[in-house]
């Protein structure tokens, strides 16, 4: 299972856990399993079409999935996904 690092604003959805695990062969499958385990988190990460929301960045280990295969990026059991909501302000 991959380890997913949960940002502070999304932790209420994971019972305040900073890291959780989920299984899947791709980022998309891992996120689907994550939403099954913690309902509601999928809607915070993916839009209605199933694409990553504009204000959310997802890193696989140290690489932005946008520079890889996006949601179809392969995931291994030892991998770490990090969810990072974009910050705004001035």
């Amino acid at each position: 299972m991959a380890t997913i690092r949960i940002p502070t604003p999304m932790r209420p959805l994971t019972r305040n856990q900073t890291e959780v695990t989920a299984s899947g062969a791709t980022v998309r499958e891992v996120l689907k399993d994550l939403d099954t385990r913690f309902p509601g988190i999928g809607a915070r990460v993916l839009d209605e079409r199933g694409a990553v929301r504009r204000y959310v960045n997802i890193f696989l280990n140290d690489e932005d999935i946008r520079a890889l295969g996006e949601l179809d990026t392969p995931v291994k059991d030892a991998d770490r996904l990090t969810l990072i909501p974009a910050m705004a302000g001035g």
Side-chain angles (χ1 to χ4, degrees):
M1 286 195 189
T3 301
I4 301 101
R5 179 94 174 136
I6 307 297
T8 303
M10 293 182 193
R11 289 183 189 160
L13 297 167
T14 61
R15 296 185 286 283
N16 293 315
Q17 296 178 77
T18 58
E19 290 186 343
V20 296
T21 58
S23 62
T26 64
V27 172
R28 182 185 322 274
E29 291 176 6
V30 170
L31 292 176
K32 183 177 180 182
D33 187 49
L34 179 66
D35 191 53
T36 299
R37 292 168 183 260
F38 303 100
I41 199 163
R44 298 281 300 272
V45 176
L46 303 175
D47 66 17
E48 322 54 64
R49 297 171 321 199
V52 177
R53 291 191 179 277
R54 283 186 22 214
Y55 59 83
V56 175
N57 296 306
I58 302 174
F59 285 80
L60 176 66
N61 301 316
D62 294 326
E63 296 288 327
D64 188 332
I65 66 164
R66 290 180 175 104
L68 301 170
E70 300 207 3
L71 291 172
D72 295 322
T73 302
V75 176
K76 298 180 212 123
D77 281 346
D79 284 341
R80 175 185 295 286
L81 286 173
T82 305
L83 306 177
I84 302 175
M87 303 299 275

